[in-house]
Amino acid sequence: MPQHATTPSFLERLAVLEEQVATLRRTGWERDELPFYPTSMRAMPYDDATAFTSVWESVLTPRTASLSLGLVFIGDQVSGTNTGGAWQVVLAEADTVMSGSVAATFSYQFAAQVIDLTPYRTLTELKIQIQVRRTSGVTTGGKFGGGGAIGMAPRFARLL
């Protein structure tokens, strides 16, 4: 008896395609964590400088389209005076891609953003620096003697 190859129906083909798309979407949600390292020999990543100073950094080969970065900041309190400041995230030692201020309220502040890495995909190494500076508060005493300090740490860094 001859055998006939039948063409799958439209609904069968659609079901196969839907399954493949669902698998691709699940794969796209995989994330790699990016470690950051403190740049100071001090016990905690605080800095009391009035110019931007790197307190955390990392180097990567940009193979993904974006970086989801979350940060936390807090100012110092010296003799009842709160310290405020500013922060920025710098890529390739030249491009500021995130920035903000640290209010002089002695309370935690959070920032998060997805950073586009596509302009840097041709680089073999991309340096990411998180920098802070003191903009208000006392100028003596404090954590390291130079006045109030700004503390910060990355909460998460995921390559998407």
Side-chain angles (χ1 to χ4, degrees), residues 5-112:
T6 59
T7 304
S9 72
F10 173 74
L11 292 176
E12 289 172 341
R13 291 189 331 221
L14 182 62
V16 168
L17 285 173
E18 285 177 341
E19 181 180 340
Q20 290 173 346
V21 168
T23 301
L24 287 172
R25 283 185 179 158
R26 283 191 302 271
T27 303
W29 282 103
E30 291 179 5
R31 297 176 175 165
D32 292 326
E33 293 287 330
L34 177 67
F36 275 87
Y37 303 97
T39 59
S40 174
M41 295 298 289
R42 296 175 173 168
M44 288 293 293
Y46 279 84
D47 206 283
D48 56 8
T50 56
F52 277 113
T53 305
S54 293
V55 288
W56 291 88
E57 68 184 18
S58 188
V59 177
L60 72 130
T61 301
R63 293 194 172 123
T64 61
S66 57
L67 169 67
S68 177
L69 184 60
L71 308 170
V72 60
F73 304 92
I74 189 168
D76 203 353
Q77 189 176 57
V78 180
S79 302
T81 302
N82 294 330
T83 300
W87 61 271
Q88 64 184 11
V89 176
V90 179
L91 297 184
E93 299 191 83
D95 302 329
T96 301
V97 294
M98 285 176 72
S99 62
S101 61
V102 180
T105 57
F106 197 55
S107 60
Y108 289 103
Q109 296 171 20
F110 302 94

Side-chain angles (χ1 to χ4, degrees), residues 87-147:
W87 61 271
Q88 64 184 11
V89 176
V90 179
L91 297 184
E93 299 191 83
D95 302 329
T96 301
V97 294
M98 285 176 72
S99 62
S101 61
V102 180
T105 57
F106 197 55
S107 60
Y108 289 103
Q109 296 171 20
F110 302 94
Q113 184 174 323
V114 176
I115 300 168
D116 181 20
L117 296 180
T118 53
Y120 308 97
R121 297 283 297 264
T122 58
L123 300 176
T124 56
E125 293 180 349
L126 175 63
K127 186 175 186 179
I128 302 172
Q129 298 170 296
I130 305 170
Q131 302 176 339
V132 298
R133 71 176 176 174
R134 176 175 50 88
T135 58
S136 66
V138 297
T139 56
T140 59
K143 197 159 197 58
F144 304 114

